[in-house]
Amino acid sequence: MRTRLYKSGISLLFASLLFPLITFGVELPKRQMEYLDRGLVAVKTDNGVFLSWRLSGDEDPKTQFNIYRDDKNLINKTPLSGATNFTDKDGTVDSHYTVKAIVNGAETGSSAAVTPWPQFYKTIQMNRPQGGTTPDGRDYLYYPGDCSVGDLDGDGEYEIVVKWDPSNAHDNSHTGFTGDVYIDAYKLNGKQLWRIDLGKNIRAGAHYTQFLVYDFDGDGCAEVVCKTAPGTVDGTGANVLLNNDDPKADYREMTSNPETKKRMGYILNGPEYLTVFSGDKGKNLATVPFEVARGSSEIWGDLYGNRVDRFLGCVAYLDGVHPSIVMGRGYYTRLTLSAWDFRDGKLTKRWIYDSGTTRGKGAFGQGNHNLSVADVDNDGKDEVIYGASAFDDNGKMLYSTGLGHGDAMHLSDLDPDRPGLEVWEVHEEHQSPYGYELHDAQTGKILWGGFTGNDNGRGLSADIDPKHRGFEMWSIADEGVFDCKGKKISDHRPSINFRIYWDGDLQDELLDGTKLDKWTGDGTTRLVNFRDYGARSINGTKNDPNISADILGDWREEVVLTNSADPSQLMIFTTTTPTDYRIYTLMHDPVYRLGVAWQNTAYNQPPHLGFYMGDGTGNLPQPRIYTVKKKAPASSKCFLDKK
């Protein structure tokens, strides 16, 4: 496809003037973040046992470590001060290991003991829901869908939250009934903590069921937040209800109305809620009416309920210290967001944004199938980047590029020669002057881009080439790869899906379905195909992992996929490639951690760091965070310590 490339010149001097000076000389507050244990993981390899563990973002970067095999055998000759991985050449599958930090010359604390995985993946056995039959007599089964992670019980280890999708889940534009959506929580050893049934009045599909896993109230345990309705049953077996609503009510459209197109299976009436569930039990902690309410389908741009039920969700630090819940409704036409705080057991509304229904005004029509969150104006508080529009911490629209809806976007310090962060986005509007473009994340200023004249449905930005400073960018519209300045550096286009840290250098690898590839400078080479080990991806042609994030071990990322032969199992893959780079856990970088929180939203996108790492690790920014952990002894409530 031929594209026209446009560049809007912007000098570094002018760019620096755009960057805010309000924080000059002012120390930004620390953010509340989750306490994490060492995340020690051991894997048997041909060379012995490979071990890796976490360095936290709030500890001394020079912290040293000792590793013990079988309780008493110190296996490192001198304290480890480099990368947080090590290969024990004498280790066996029967060994067990602990790691201890060395602070001021003395050992302190000890990780939990671990035994080696026999291969580079771990299988989690889950409780697969029973299938069912829809009112029109169609059978369906359940498969594990999008996942998220959080420390649900305050022990410093991540748990996995799994959304079970029925096989008849639907896109909003498609008619038909769906089975109920279930949300489960599992420890990494496979123990099931709870199951939430969202009920018949929550339709199954990528655009309906956004869920957030995060410690919103700072008690050391993560909560789970999602849209609910009459018929939802929490993890303790209790109905989720407001007022005198009927838990047995069925609001599904049972017939097709030819005057308003097909609507069978849609849910266009009845109460809608927003609920916070406890992480340890899945208990309903707080429920409020969902805002913004649906109203009529017509005010969202159609007659049958497609655009009214397009939802997004994210976590944002709107006060700079504590995380808030942000839920979005609509993006093709009317676009709305509502922000909530969960404190002291209550949901409190912070603000609402509503574009209204007039094309060309506000953020009308300027949303994506995904979103991102970062402090783009450097005031310590987060903004929500909703695609072609962005919103300040107070809910006011920061800007709109006017380029319309898109299916993919990426936010990071994509061009490290410029101050601040940038956004790479593709657009589906045929008349848009840019089918792909790079813009300033604070101002929306277009830096460069190209006209495509069609629906450009996929795009990716990742730092894949060490010969070119900054990130590289490409999309389905062009057979080629651009550097961060807009110069084409290759005519060979790699996969356009997820990026991931895997092989130990500072560049991204490329994950597409089960295929993990390495950019060679003018093409790719295959590192691993997880399908060879029995894994498969999810979300149809999107070919997503269930989740990809820095869940265990050092700063490299894990890939979670479904067992293709047994859909009741998840497979967690971890790298066994040594690295020489010492980096704190990616989960303590706020932009990355919030990216993991929104990764499951609609059309999944990979998380990015909030800084550029391609220049090396000698001068990495330390996150301004404090971590909270549950006090011992454990009880039914999580009590916090600031660490």
Side-chain angles (χ1 to χ4, degrees), residues 16-93:
S16 67
L17 293 175
L18 290 176
F19 209 64
L21 302 178
I22 58 173
T23 57
F24 181 77
V26 177
E27 187 173 290
L28 298 177
K30 292 185 176 182
R31 294 184 175 214
Q32 167 206 314
M33 295 286 278
E34 59 203 339
Y35 164 79
L36 297 171
D37 66 14
R38 289 292 168 207
L40 178 64
V41 62
V43 181
K44 184 66 179 74
T45 69
D46 292 340
N47 299 319
V49 173
F50 177 82
L51 303 118
S52 72
W53 61 95
R54 286 190 190 102
L55 178 70
S56 293
D58 62 339
E59 66 183 328
D60 187 342
K62 297 180 181 179
T63 298
Q64 297 177 314
F65 296 96
N66 281 334
I67 304 175
Y68 290 86
R69 183 201 317 125
D70 302 332
D71 298 326
K72 59 184 179 181
N73 297 317
L74 178 65
I75 62 175
N76 49 291
K77 294 181 179 180
T78 59
L80 301 173
S81 57
T84 56
N85 65 83
F86 185 88
T87 298
D88 178 17
K89 295 181 180 179
D90 298 321
T92 71
V93 291

Side-chain angles (χ1 to χ4, degrees), residues 333-555:
T333 52
R334 184 187 181 192
L335 183 157
T336 69
L337 297 91
S338 61
W340 299 83
D341 295 334
F342 179 64
R343 312 275 191 270
D344 301 321
K346 296 181 179 179
L347 272 169
T348 304
K349 185 165 47 181
R350 179 176 278 268
W351 49 254
I352 287 180
Y353 173 85
D354 190 339
S355 71
T357 59
T358 303
R359 184 175 298 277
K361 289 191 176 181
F364 182 97
Q366 304 301 311
N368 260 33
H369 283 312
N370 29 63
L371 74 177
S372 191
V373 180
D375 174 16
V376 301
D377 58 8
N378 203 35
D379 65 354
K381 304 174 184 179
D382 282 334
E383 283 69 48
V384 178
I385 313 303
Y386 213 70
S389 57
F391 301 88
D392 208 348
D393 57 88
N394 60 7
K396 305 295 183 182
M397 190 177 77
L398 194 63
Y399 63 81
S400 168
T401 66
L403 298 176
H405 172 72
D407 285 1
M409 60 177 285
H410 301 270
L411 181 151
S412 184
D413 189 5
L414 306 180
D415 183 349
D417 294 331
R418 301 183 67 258
L421 306 176
E422 294 81 32
V423 176
W424 170 252
E425 185 172 7
V426 297
H427 300 276
E428 71 172 33
E429 304 291 341
H430 292 208
Q431 302 305 314
S432 173
Y434 297 99
Y436 57 83
E437 46 86 11
L438 182 72
H439 68 258
D440 184 292
Q442 180 188 355
T443 67
K445 174 76 173 181
I446 306 298
L447 304 176
W448 61 268
F451 174 79
T452 61
N454 64 0
D455 179 349
N456 191 12
R458 291 198 173 192
L460 179 58
S461 182
D463 182 19
I464 58 174
D465 197 325
K467 298 189 298 294
H468 300 272
R469 189 165 187 261
F471 282 56
E472 286 70 50
M473 299 148 205
W474 59 102
S475 76
I476 200 71
D478 253 310
E479 286 294 338
V481 176
F482 298 97
D483 69 11
C484 65
K485 308 297 184 183
K487 177 184 177 182
K488 182 175 278 192
I489 63 171
S490 173
D491 290 325
H492 296 95
R493 184 184 66 210
S495 62
I496 312 177
N497 203 339
F498 267 54
R499 49 129 315 269
I500 183 175
Y501 292 121
W502 184 267
D503 71 354
D505 62 21
L506 297 180
Q507 275 64 54
D508 291 301
E509 283 69 64
L510 299 171
L511 176 65
D512 184 26
T514 62
K515 301 172 184 177
L516 184 63
D517 294 338
K518 180 74 175 177
W519 178 253
T520 62
D522 198 32
T524 59
T525 185
R526 182 67 36 81
L527 297 182
V528 63
N529 190 339
F530 299 112
R531 186 177 62 182
D532 294 341
Y533 303 89
R536 70 171 180 84
S537 57
I538 62 170
N539 294 334
T541 59
K542 301 294 186 293
N543 283 324
D544 301 320
N546 294 81
I547 186 173
S548 177
D550 181 12
I551 300 171
L552 294 166
D554 63 25
W555 56 275

Side-chain angles (χ1 to χ4, degrees), residues 26-216:
V26 177
E27 187 173 290
L28 298 177
K30 292 185 176 182
R31 294 184 175 214
Q32 167 206 314
M33 295 286 278
E34 59 203 339
Y35 164 79
L36 297 171
D37 66 14
R38 289 292 168 207
L40 178 64
V41 62
V43 181
K44 184 66 179 74
T45 69
D46 292 340
N47 299 319
V49 173
F50 177 82
L51 303 118
S52 72
W53 61 95
R54 286 190 190 102
L55 178 70
S56 293
D58 62 339
E59 66 183 328
D60 187 342
K62 297 180 181 179
T63 298
Q64 297 177 314
F65 296 96
N66 281 334
I67 304 175
Y68 290 86
R69 183 201 317 125
D70 302 332
D71 298 326
K72 59 184 179 181
N73 297 317
L74 178 65
I75 62 175
N76 49 291
K77 294 181 179 180
T78 59
L80 301 173
S81 57
T84 56
N85 65 83
F86 185 88
T87 298
D88 178 17
K89 295 181 180 179
D90 298 321
T92 71
V93 291
D94 297 319
S95 303
H96 62 267
Y97 296 90
T98 56
V99 62
K100 296 182 180 181
I102 303 172
V103 179
N104 297 324
E107 288 186 343
T108 177
S110 176
S111 71
V114 301
T115 55
W117 301 358
Q119 60 277 318
F120 76 124
Y121 62 87
K122 175 184 178 67
T123 298
I124 296 180
Q125 179 64 53
M126 300 182 294
N127 175 22
R128 187 184 186 189
Q130 293 293 318
T133 304
T134 60
D136 57 348
R138 299 175 184 268
D139 295 335
Y140 57 89
L141 298 172
Y142 279 94
Y143 295 89
D146 292 324
C147 296
S148 192
V149 294
D151 182 7
L152 301 177
D153 55 10
D155 64 356
E157 178 185 85
Y158 280 124
E159 282 74 47
I160 295 185
V161 178
V162 183
K163 183 182 69 164
W164 289 98
D165 282 323
S167 54
N168 57 359
H170 282 297
D171 185 90
N172 295 51
S173 61
H174 299 160
T175 188
F177 296 101
T178 74
D180 292 4
V181 175
Y182 296 99
I183 298 178
D184 284 4
Y186 294 91
K187 295 190 70 65
L188 295 183
N189 63 11
K191 178 183 177 182
Q192 184 177 6
L193 298 181
W194 44 258
R195 168 169 290 168
I196 295 167
D197 179 358
L198 294 184
K200 64 173 67 74
N201 294 313
I202 297 291
R203 201 169 186 233
H207 305 291
Y208 296 99
T209 49
Q210 323 309 338
F211 65 100
L212 305 173
V213 182
Y214 215 82
D215 182 7
F216 290 102

